[in-house]
Amino acid sequence: MEEKTVESIVNEGRAYACIQCGKCTGSCPSGRECGLRTRKVIHMARLGMDIYKTEELWDCTTCYTCQERCPKDVKITDIIIELRNMAVKNSFYPTMAEVPKIIIQNLYSTGNGQPLSPEVSKIRSIIGLNKEPLDASTNKDTLKKFQKLLDGLPLMQWGETQ
Amino acid sequence: MKVGVYICHCGVNIANMVDIPKVVEAISGQTNVAVCKEYQYMCSDPGQNMIRKDIEDMGLDRVVVAACSPRMHEPTFRATVADAGMNPYCFEMANIREQCSWVHEDKEEATQKAIDLVKSSVARASLLEPLQSTEIPVTHSALVIGGGIAGIQAALDIANSGFKTYLVEKEPSIGGRMAQFDKTFPTLDCAACILTPKMVDVARHPNIDLLTYSEVEHIDGSIGNFHVQIKKKPRYVDPDLCTGCGLCAEACRLKGRISSEFDMGIGKRGAIYVPFPQAVPLLYTIDPENCLLLKHGKCGKSPKCEDICDPGAIRFDQEEEHIDIDVGAIVVATGYNEFSPVVKEEYGYGKFKNVMTGLELERIFSPSGPTGGNPIINGTEPKNIVFISCVGSRDKRIGNPYCSRVCCMYIAKQAHLLKEKIPDANITVMYTDMRAFGKGYEEFYERVQKEGIRYRRGNAAEVYEEDDLLFVRAEDTLLGEPYELPADLVVLGTGLVPSPDADSIGQMLHLSRSADKFFLEAHPKLRPVDTVIDGVFLAGAAQGPKDIPDSVAQASGAASHVVNLLVKEKIHAEPIIAEINEDACVGCKTCIVLCPYEAPLYDDEKKVVTINRAVCKGCGSCAAACPSGSIKMNHFKNEQIVAQILEVI
Amino acid sequence: MKYAFFPGCIAKNVYPGIEKATRLVSAKLGIDLVDYEYSCCPPPGVIACYDKDSWLTLGARNLSLSEKDNHDIMTICAGCYGTLHNVWHTLKQDQDKMEFVNEHLSRIDTEYKGNIRPVHFVDLLSKMRDEIKQNKEIDLDFRVAVHYGCHYLKPSDVTGENSEAPKILDEIVSLLGCESVPFKDRLTCCGAGGGVMSGEPDLSLKIIDRKLKNIEKADVDCIINICSFCHMNFDQSQKKLHAYDIPVLHLNQLLGLAFGFKHKHLGLHTNLVSTRDIVKKVKGAKRESMK
Ligand SMILES: Cc1cc2nc3c(=O)[nH]c(=O)nc-3n(C[C@H](O)[C@H](O)[C@H](O)COP(=O)(O)OP(=O)(O)OC[C@H]3O[C@@H](n4cnc5c(N)ncnc54)[C@H](O)[C@@H]3O)c2cc1C
Ligand code: SF4
Ligand code: SF4
Ligand code: SF4
Ligand code: SF4
């Protein structure tokens, strides 16, 4: 697979076609509360500016409303996700990056981003479920294999560079 | 056999990528080649003269020009050689621009390809046969389909030149969309004042045969000689007796109960009606879908319309009529429809009653409209009004990628009219880009801005309702701030889509459509009123979104092309058509199925196919498919094509 | 009817009542659920935004598990659905990515072929309207605010849903006797996704605060969702904001109540926002229907 660049992201996501109508920003549930201007993200990306270095990029909830409504069929949310990937690859971690790191750690050690706590385990048995659900962490061998898979994935490399 | 070969530089278009002297060198001395020359612009006067002179001096009997696509200049050079006495069908063109210099980046390879292409054309030219075009007489009358402003203008122009013109309109009255408007941008003149006189002229014109409430059912034939079948729907009213007094409409049991198409469903009419008071012809029409008598066989004790009509014009037994006419040329002016915004669900059209379309608002302005011209929307006068631009235009997601060209301006017009009627209204236009490109348009835009209409860049994202009030969300892209505005009226600047009839008319006439689904002109710049079908012309919004000035200009253009044709007594028929060897034909009818133009006809007696020379367009489908090999395409015979191919492989 | 059951982290490990409700309701409707050793979907917000290719690979691992038994995979969370469905859709179209994914999966002797389809439980329900009516024991008669969850609806060219005017959830709650009450911005995001809930909690709270305000105005008995992640956000945020008191139920819990299961078996009592009033109403309705 070819290495992504801002240019390739712009082309794949059709950002070049944007007419700056602002329908995306107007639709954005997040932009109403913060500095995210979706339209500007798209414009900056196609101008080749370092949009992936901005914090606003991480304000998007990936709700896809903008992409859904864009009259020019710009794949806005997909572009935002790709730009975040690029930020991570280039070690531009947002301030919010700490939390995802915990989630990645949980994923590695339990197979779940959200692990089971002793309290919930108790609730499970009270309501008639098995104390621990069957999943990737049930079986030691399965978990090992899962970790082996993760070890070789780019995700873990980015985690380490920080 | 003496072939003259001419290589064109096309300025630098070809010369930059193709080494022309090298091509000349390679071609000179080839079998049959008597002379090979190069020139800057072969299509220029000196270029053409060079060919003419060589034909005369050297007695050339074949000419090859290596230049651009034959689409543009094949006719030019055919005329050139014919001028010098050579048979025009012995001319051949090699395309070394679009198919060579423009698409390659390696000069050496491009040069080699150019040489191959020219050689291949020489080989084909050597096998070309002289063809004679036949002469066919021209029927001196025209058909105009669609009675909007474009159709009206075209019909008047043709008729004024002295030719019989049939104007077919499917609605009960002519006038089209323009008749629905009160004022027109950018001059704000009253639409009726400038349109009605033209409509009346049409009705009175001795050369115009006006067929309203009628549809074209079938068309065959070709340039100069079209045969058209028209269906005249029954109005259930005798046109000779109806005085247009309107007493019947007043009396109708369903008066005010049926939604009026002309009023975009806002106003109401009865089952017998005229769409609007200035209708032409001013004849009442009974709508059979709703009329109690026609639908249920019974209208109270007796039909009230019939009772009240003194002249006795009501005719429930009227039947549809089929009229056959012959014409030499056809103008298609079927216009447009407004984009239906129900699919843009985020704007809530159809869900919130105070969201309306541009065309609906036009009817509110009209003095003869549902509110008598008063700005009353669902019972109240709006105070906070938002216009949304580009609804259904410039929108790839719904498949309308084009700009509709009129909505920026009609929004400006409507904003102005509302402000005039409701001076204290807050009016905001949410727009993507402002397109005010016509004469006087930018000035009109400024005038409207001065009147206090707020233009905010950035299109609306969505409309929602809260406590019976609408809110429009958008980003002001110049401020870079999302905002919301309350509104008691939201007007959608809906775009233009082709008339739904474009499908059937297009099929009948074998017209092509462009990607936007409007009718395709023969050349986007140089032949904007012609179609690829000879004798068929386009006018108005049927060809693409257009304002009134452009529609009228194009209509006059189309009319002049029609007149150019009709003044001729005879025209030349293209000899590049299919020829059938009736002795070899096995009567399998494969060609009949394939031909898009209905040219092959089955002869029941002889049990073979014959080809109607007047209709065949020379597309070659039949010749390629004929299992017995009985069909040959003039000018594209197998040996000619094979010789051409052998040179390039 | 057999489906591989993908409960997802939240329904397993935070709101097990949702998992339980799904098992009870499925059994009633004749849907056999098969469990596999799934990992987290993994979440689109965090993992896809960090590294999309890793996300595809981990998602494909989950999909591959029931592939050998040829069971389609059923989710009960718009987030899990968004991930699995999107992974399925992407890999179906993108040969390069498919190769990447299988190269990595081969390291653990696994292969993903693309033979099974991810579905959301709601899609099954939409085809079982008669069964739902037959199994309904109590007419619930609640006023409810439905929440679809962004990733169930969008992007519509992947999901095939009508993202501006979806109906299925409204229709299902009405089958149970509930009224889906319209409210302002009913389709907007709850603010949890994209890593925003964990990464920028203040922003996330602002988004859901607006949403809750609109729901409160509509005066409903509860919020009904089809996304465990939204569920968690709706329930927890009311506590974090120290405001509102609107019970939050997953659709499957609502179905459970209508089918006559006890609220405790459905884990309603484990919510942060009390479901007391709901339970009371159910008891009333039950008495009604016994008469
Ligand atoms: C809301 C709105 C406001 C506008 N305001 C202005 C303005 O102020 N100034 C301006 O310059 N332009 C304005 N325009 C543009 C204007 O309407 C068009 O330029 C003009 O109507 C085009 O004329 P036409 O004859 O090509 O098409 P139409 O007006 O659409 O006429 C086509 C006619 O053909 C008929 N027809 C269709 N199919 C058939 C068939 N199969 N057989 C027979 N008849 C058929 C139709 O019934 C109709 O009568 C506006 C447009 C809109 C939508
Ligand atoms: S909605 Fe699409 S076209 Fe409009 S500004 Fe946003 S990305 Fe550009
Ligand atoms: S996907 Fe992101 S940018 Fe687009 S509307 Fe949703 S939150 Fe805003
Ligand atoms: S004319 Fe104006 S409103 Fe209409 S599509 Fe073009 S830009 Fe949009
Ligand atoms: S060449 Fe054949 S297929 Fe083509 S128009 Fe003529 S008869 Fe029809």
Side-chain angles (χ1 to χ4, degrees):
Chain A
M1 275 185 305
E2 275 179 32
E3 188 71 33
K4 298 243 172 177
T5 59
V6 173
E7 206 183 335
S8 73
I9 294 170
V10 163
N11 280 331
E12 253 177 59
R14 299 180 37 83
Y16 55 82
C18 168
I19 51 175
Q20 290 289 295
C21 69
K23 206 168 170 181
C24 46
T25 316
S27 300
C28 180
S30 189
R32 262 164 238 158
E33 317 291 349
C34 69
L36 171 63
R37 296 294 171 262
T38 317
R39 171 189 53 81
K40 211 171 144 192
V41 169
I42 297 302
H43 192 48
M44 285 175 75
R46 66 179 176 177
L47 291 179
M49 294 167 84
D50 288 345
I51 175 66
Y52 61 87
K53 294 186 184 169
T54 62
E55 297 250 328
E56 286 91 71
L57 199 61
W58 299 85
D59 292 338
C60 163
T61 66
T62 70
C63 75
Y64 276 97
T65 313
C66 52
Q67 177 160 330
E68 201 60 20
R69 290 185 181 158
C70 171
K72 300 302 275 190
D73 206 13
V74 177
K75 304 293 181 197
I76 308 170
T77 317
D78 294 339
I79 290 176
I80 290 176
I81 292 173
E82 292 290 357
L83 289 171
R84 286 181 176 184
N85 277 217
M86 173 153 272
V88 171
K89 259 178 222 176
N90 289 289
S91 298
F92 286 104
Y93 283 85
T95 42
M96 61 180 267
E98 291 312 311
V99 184
K101 265 164 64 188
I102 298 168
I103 296 177
I104 295 173
Q105 277 159 19
N106 287 339
L107 184 68
Y108 192 83
S109 53
T110 70
N112 291 309
Q114 179 73 52
L116 183 67
S117 64
E119 295 79 34
V120 177
S121 179
K122 206 186 270 162
I123 295 175
R124 286 185 63 91
S125 50
I126 291 173
I127 64 174
L129 289 166
N130 33 353
K131 225 163 140 24
E132 281 170 12
L134 177 77
D135 62 23
S137 61
T138 312
N139 190 320
K140 277 228 162 63
D141 281 349
T142 311
L143 187 61
K144 277 226 175 77
K145 268 173 116 183
F146 178 71
Q147 289 170 340
K148 187 174 162 197
L149 176 62
L150 261 174
D151 280 332
L153 287 174
L155 181 70
M156 296 316 277
Q157 296 164 25
W158 313 139
E160 277 157 25
T161 51
Q162 268 284 294
Chain B
M1 173 111 3
K2 282 183 173 172
V3 186
V5 183
Y6 302 87
I7 322 284
C8 182
H9 292 225
C10 192
V12 293
N13 276 303
I14 297 171
N16 260 2
M17 191 45 62
V18 172
D19 183 342
I20 296 200
K22 215 164 159 191
V23 180
V24 174
E25 192 191 303
I27 300 300
S28 307
Q30 290 276 321
T31 325
N32 293 340
V33 173
V35 59
C36 180
K37 293 181 175 169
E38 56 179 291
Y39 190 66
Q40 279 275 313
Y41 293 102
M42 281 312 303
C43 58
S44 68
D45 228 18
Q48 294 190 40
N49 281 336
M50 182 156 98
I51 300 175
R52 275 194 212 104
K53 190 156 181 302
D54 286 354
I55 295 174
E56 279 154 17
D57 293 354
M58 301 189 215
L60 301 178
D61 52 7
R62 298 287 186 278
V63 165
V64 172
V65 170
C68 50
S69 151
R71 202 181 146 122
M72 184 74 207
H73 279 312
E74 189 175 62
T76 315
F77 292 116
R78 273 194 188 154
T80 309
V81 302
D83 224 22
M86 206 184 95
N87 185 290
Y89 296 95
C90 291
F91 167 80
E92 170 70 9
M93 202 154 174
N95 182 354
I96 58 169
R97 191 178 75 180
E98 284 86 342
Q99 289 173 0
C100 187
S101 70
W102 276 358
V103 289
H104 295 299
E105 282 168 358
D106 181 315
K107 189 157 182 178
E108 212 167 293
E109 283 176 359
T111 305
Q112 190 50 52
K113 180 170 172 186
I115 294 172
D116 289 345
L117 287 172
V118 180
K119 276 190 188 164
S120 143
S121 288
V122 171
R124 173 169 148 81
S126 308
L127 293 176
L128 288 179
E129 293 163 2
L131 298 174
Q132 300 307 330
S133 55
T134 40
E135 286 197 324
I136 42 176
V138 174
T139 310
H140 298 293
S141 59
L143 164 69
V144 177
I145 308 174
I149 182 60
I152 290 174
Q153 184 66 38
L156 285 173
D157 283 0
I158 300 168
N160 283 338
S161 303
F163 296 104
K164 171 99 192 161
T165 307
Y166 300 91
L167 175 56
V168 174
E169 166 59 57
K170 66 171 174 178
E171 299 296 334
S173 169
I174 54 172
R177 296 296 177 195
M178 189 178 169
Q180 292 177 288
F181 310 156
D182 178 35
K183 299 270 164 55
T184 54
F185 66 74
T187 45
L188 293 177
D189 31 13
C190 136
C193 313
I194 54 179
L195 177 65
T196 317
K198 276 189 188 281
M199 290 163 58
V200 174
D201 285 352
V202 165
R204 294 235 181 96
H205 205 294
N207 285 338
I208 295 180
D209 200 339
L210 178 56
L211 299 158
T212 48
Y213 211 45
S214 302
E215 280 164 25
V216 174
E217 277 184 309
H218 186 79
I219 303 177
D220 59 31
S222 60
I223 179 168
N225 299 281
F226 292 102
H227 314 291
V228 185
Q229 198 180 74
I230 294 162
K231 175 173 86 183
K232 215 170 176 215
K233 294 176 276 188
R235 284 178 191 262
Y236 305 103
V237 169
D238 186 331
D240 297 328
L241 298 180
C242 175
T243 62
C245 69
L247 288 174
C248 50
E250 283 301 316
C252 176
R253 282 206 166 78
L254 293 178
K255 185 191 168 198
R257 307 262 295 272
I258 300 160
S259 86
S260 151
E261 301 82 356
F262 191 80
D263 283 338
M264 304 305 293
I266 304 172
K268 302 272 185 243
R269 59 169 172 82
I272 184 161
Y273 68 106
V274 282
F276 56 107
Q278 303 84 0
V280 169
L282 191 59
L283 281 179
Y284 279 73
T285 303
I286 299 181
D287 157 12
E289 302 282 310
N290 287 294
C291 167
L292 296 171
L293 193 105
L294 288 170
K295 214 172 152 201
H296 306 292
K298 191 169 181 293
C299 173
K301 269 204 204 91
S302 64
K304 285 195 162 188
C305 55
E306 197 171 31
D307 293 348
I308 204 158
C309 181
D310 254 354
I314 309 292
R315 288 273 176 282
F316 288 110
D317 58 353
Q318 206 173 55
E319 282 180 5
E320 75 181 25
E321 273 178 69
H322 297 271
I323 302 165
D324 289 306
I325 59 171
D326 288 335
V327 295
I330 298 176
V331 176
V332 177
T334 46
Y336 69 91
N337 255 23
E338 186 181 40
F339 167 77
S340 165
V342 276
V343 296
K344 305 283 326 162
E345 282 172 289
E346 64 270 33
Y347 293 146
Y349 178 80
K351 191 161 116 199
F352 308 133
K353 60 187 193 331
N354 287 349
V355 177
M356 65 194 314
T357 70
L359 218 41
E360 287 165 2
L361 186 61
E362 289 291 340
R363 294 310 299 148
I364 299 289
F365 291 130
S366 169
S368 61
T371 60
N374 294 313
I376 305 296
I377 312 293
N378 296 313
T380 48
E381 195 178 80
K383 284 284 180 279
N384 295 297
I385 301 153
V386 174
F387 283 88
I388 301 178
S389 79
C390 305
V391 179
S393 310
R394 307 181 69 187
D395 190 333
K396 209 175 152 75
R397 273 188 85 85
I398 51 148
N400 291 352
Y402 54 88
C403 166
S404 286
R405 295 175 92 244
V406 297
C407 12
C408 273
M409 288 310 293
Y410 83 59
I411 289 173
K413 169 184 77 175
Q414 296 185 337
H416 159 87
L417 293 174
L418 279 173
K419 190 79 186 163
E420 192 177 62
K421 290 173 197 275
I422 319 170
D424 61 341
N426 298 310
I427 305 179
T428 305
V429 178
M430 296 179 179
Y431 69 105
T432 314
D433 294 297
M434 185 62 197
R435 297 192 167 164
F437 51 83
K439 190 167 177 167
Y441 288 12
E442 183 68 18
E443 295 88 328
F444 184 70
Y445 174 33
E446 185 182 317
R447 167 177 173 183
V448 174
Q449 285 178 300
K450 190 175 168 206
E451 288 167 355
I453 310 297
R454 276 186 225 122
Y455 272 81
R456 296 190 74 171
R457 197 163 200 278
N459 211 353
E462 59 187 342
V463 178
Y464 68 87
E465 191 180 40
E466 195 175 24
D467 303 333
D468 281 337
L469 195 58
L470 298 174
F471 288 86
V472 189
R473 277 206 178 105
E475 180 194 12
D476 184 318
T477 59
L478 298 176
L479 297 176
E481 283 304 323
Y483 70 109
E484 298 187 8
L485 284 183
D488 41 15
L489 171 63
V490 174
V491 185
L492 304 181
T494 37
L496 276 48
V497 297
S499 154
D501 291 34
D503 285 339
S504 60
I505 298 287
Q507 264 166 26
M508 273 185 235
L509 285 166
H510 311 294
L511 295 179
S512 311
R513 316 272 283 272
S514 34
D516 58 16
K517 301 187 201 77
F518 288 92
F519 287 121
L520 180 68
E521 62 285 349
H523 188 281
K525 297 176 195 91
L526 301 178
R527 296 178 66 197
V529 305
D530 302 325
T531 66
V532 285
I533 305 299
D534 294 333
V536 180
F537 305 93
L538 301 174
Q543 181 254 343
K546 256 183 218 74
D547 52 24
I548 296 165
D550 284 0
S551 296
V552 171
Q554 196 187 22
S556 287
S560 86
H561 281 219
V562 168
V563 171
N564 280 347
L565 173 63
L566 297 189
V567 291
K568 296 188 182 124
E569 281 308 318
K570 290 197 155 82
I571 48 168
H572 292 288
E574 190 52 82
I576 304 178
I577 53 168
E579 302 261 11
I580 192 157
N581 176 352
E582 289 176 20
D583 296 335
C585 174
V586 294
C588 71
K589 302 188 186 172
T590 306
C591 51
I592 297 183
V593 178
L594 283 174
C595 178
Y597 307 103
E598 298 167 38
L601 303 168
Y602 189 69
D603 186 326
D604 267 328
E605 258 168 46
K606 292 201 239 159
K607 307 265 181 263
V608 294
V609 165
T610 58
I611 284 178
N612 181 349
R613 297 180 62 92
V615 172
C616 174
K617 295 268 180 291
C619 72
S621 309
C622 54
C626 176
S628 62
S630 347
I631 305 183
K632 294 228 162 6
M633 273 297 307
N634 284 337
H635 208 60
F636 291 97
K637 298 207 162 148
N638 283 352
E639 53 276 22
Q640 295 164 345
I641 296 174
V642 169
Q644 189 174 15
I645 294 172
L646 285 179
E647 280 300 329
V648 283
I649 50 174
Chain C
M1 208 192 311
K2 230 179 208 159
Y3 278 91
F5 177 37
F6 190 92
C9 297
I10 310 295
K12 268 186 325 198
N13 300 343
V14 186
Y15 287 89
I18 302 177
E19 177 184 336
K20 183 69 193 303
T22 309
R23 293 190 188 276
L24 292 174
V25 168
S26 299
K28 276 256 180 186
L29 292 172
I31 306 171
D32 278 350
L33 301 181
V34 190
D35 295 309
Y36 289 90
E37 294 177 313
Y38 291 127
S39 72
C40 169
C41 51
V46 180
I47 307 300
C49 288
Y50 258 58
D51 187 75
K52 209 168 168 179
D53 297 336
S54 304
W55 173 71
L56 286 172
T57 311
L58 296 174
R61 176 195 167 272
N62 282 332
L63 291 176
S64 72
L65 293 183
S66 70
E67 202 169 52
K68 52 182 184 305
D69 304 331
N70 209 16
H71 296 323
D72 285 343
I73 182 167
M74 182 201 93
T75 63
I76 51 172
C77 166
C80 303
Y81 173 77
T83 289
L84 296 176
H85 190 265
N86 215 318
V87 167
W88 170 79
H89 187 265
T90 308
L91 295 181
K92 196 170 56 155
Q93 315 226 316
D94 192 331
Q95 204 48 50
D96 285 352
K97 299 256 188 228
M98 188 72 161
E99 271 167 31
F100 174 93
V101 160
N102 274 320
E103 222 175 274
H104 281 279
L105 289 179
S106 72
R107 292 192 286 107
I108 57 163
D109 307 318
T110 303
E111 192 193 352
Y112 171 63
K113 298 200 189 70
N115 292 338
I116 56 150
R117 236 194 122 119
V119 296
H120 193 289
F121 193 51
V122 170
D123 299 328
L124 304 185
L125 294 177
S126 76
K127 290 183 210 114
M128 304 184 94
R129 293 170 203 238
D130 290 339
E131 289 87 335
I132 293 174
K133 277 189 242 161
Q134 284 155 18
N135 282 293
K136 185 178 75 176
E137 288 183 7
I138 307 170
D139 219 28
L140 289 178
D141 189 27
F142 296 164
R143 288 168 57 82
V144 307
V146 299
H147 180 78
Y148 281 85
C150 297
H151 293 224
Y152 173 70
L153 297 174
K154 298 171 279 191
S156 61
D157 47 7
V158 175
T159 63
E161 301 295 326
N162 176 346
S163 67
E164 299 285 356
K167 290 200 194 77
I168 176 67
L169 200 41
D170 307 73
E171 287 169 2
I172 294 178
V173 299
S174 82
L175 287 180
L176 305 179
C178 299
E179 181 196 354
S180 168
V181 182
F183 60 98
K184 180 182 162 188
D185 285 342
R186 73 175 202 132
L187 293 174
T188 53
C189 177
C190 73
V196 173
M197 182 166 76
S198 45
E200 299 199 55
D202 293 345
L203 172 59
S204 180
L205 281 178
K206 278 188 196 161
I207 298 175
I208 197 158
D209 189 17
R210 259 193 215 238
K211 183 113 205 172
L212 286 165
K213 206 174 281 161
N214 293 333
I215 295 176
E216 187 175 56
K217 237 185 118 178
D219 189 23
V220 295
D221 295 312
C222 61
I223 297 169
I224 298 298
N225 63 76
I226 52 168
C227 175
S228 320
F229 201 56
C230 303
H231 181 94
M232 178 163 83
N233 191 25
F234 276 118
D235 194 39
Q236 294 183 349
S237 295
Q238 297 190 49
K239 287 294 157 200
K240 289 182 200 157
L241 289 163
H242 302 293
Y244 310 107
D245 191 17
I246 314 166
V248 183
L249 268 68
H250 189 282
L251 175 68
N252 297 358
Q253 293 173 311
L254 187 75
L255 279 161
L257 290 176
F259 287 4
F261 293 110
K262 294 227 169 65
H263 73 276
K264 284 204 170 156
H265 289 171
L266 301 167
L268 292 194
H269 60 301
T270 68
N271 280 10
L272 297 182
V273 178
S274 164
T275 52
R276 210 181 317 117
D277 292 347
I278 286 283
V279 173
K280 244 191 246 158
K281 266 196 117 170
V282 175
K283 284 189 180 145
K286 201 167 182 176
R287 253 176 265 129
E288 245 345 88
S289 54
M290 303 238 272
K291 271 186 210 161

